[in-house]
Amino acid sequence: ARLLDLARRLSRGEALASGDEEEEGGCPRHREPLEVFCKEDGALLCAICRESRAHRAHTVLPVPQVVREYKEQIQARLQTLKDDRDKLLEFREAEMRRNW
């Protein structure tokens, strides 16, 4: 849900401010722009945080690429849920007709 919210806000060009981040959408520690996403920690990082020991060995990707990837995953899962919902509605309708 957090990633979906981030993706929506990024696609609308909004700042990435949440509980831990500053109003301007920067790193709360270094006041730098959040430019990359750490896949292991699921967190947006600034350039300084990216080079810290905590994230140096982690896989990081540029934010726009991550947004695209997660958006595609979410859309695929949403389509699966829609298909399942349609099957359930068809089953429900068939059961209701059978009961009548």
Side-chain angles (χ1 to χ4, degrees):
R2 182 171 172 240
L3 289 173
L4 178 60
D5 182 51
L6 288 171
R8 281 184 187 144
R9 289 172 24 206
L10 282 171
S11 69
R12 292 189 302 240
E14 293 179 15
L16 293 174
S18 71
D20 297 335
E21 298 159 2
E22 294 296 314
E23 282 300 313
E24 65 273 3
C27 175
R29 253 173 127 183
H30 305 108
R31 311 259 192 269
E32 295 286 325
L34 300 170
E35 300 171 342
V36 293
F37 180 79
C38 176
K39 289 189 95 168
E40 280 82 353
D41 294 329
L44 291 169
L45 306 174
C46 72
I48 298 169
C49 289
R50 194 285 176 242
E51 295 304 319
S52 70
R53 284 187 207 158
H55 301 284
R56 192 176 301 151
H58 292 176
T59 303
V60 295
L61 299 169
V63 171
Q65 180 181 343
V66 172
V67 169
R68 267 193 316 279
E69 286 179 15
Y70 281 106
K71 192 174 186 179
E72 290 169 4
Q73 288 177 15
I74 290 167
Q75 288 174 342
R77 291 177 182 163
L78 180 60
Q79 186 59 47
T80 301
L81 289 171
K82 286 178 180 179
D83 293 344
D84 290 347
R85 182 197 61 199
D86 291 343
K87 288 176 189 175
L88 286 171
L89 289 173
E90 288 174 17
F91 177 74
R92 178 179 171 217
E93 187 176 318
E95 284 298 308
M96 289 177 75
R97 275 194 303 250
R98 191 175 67 110
N99 288 337
W100 281 103

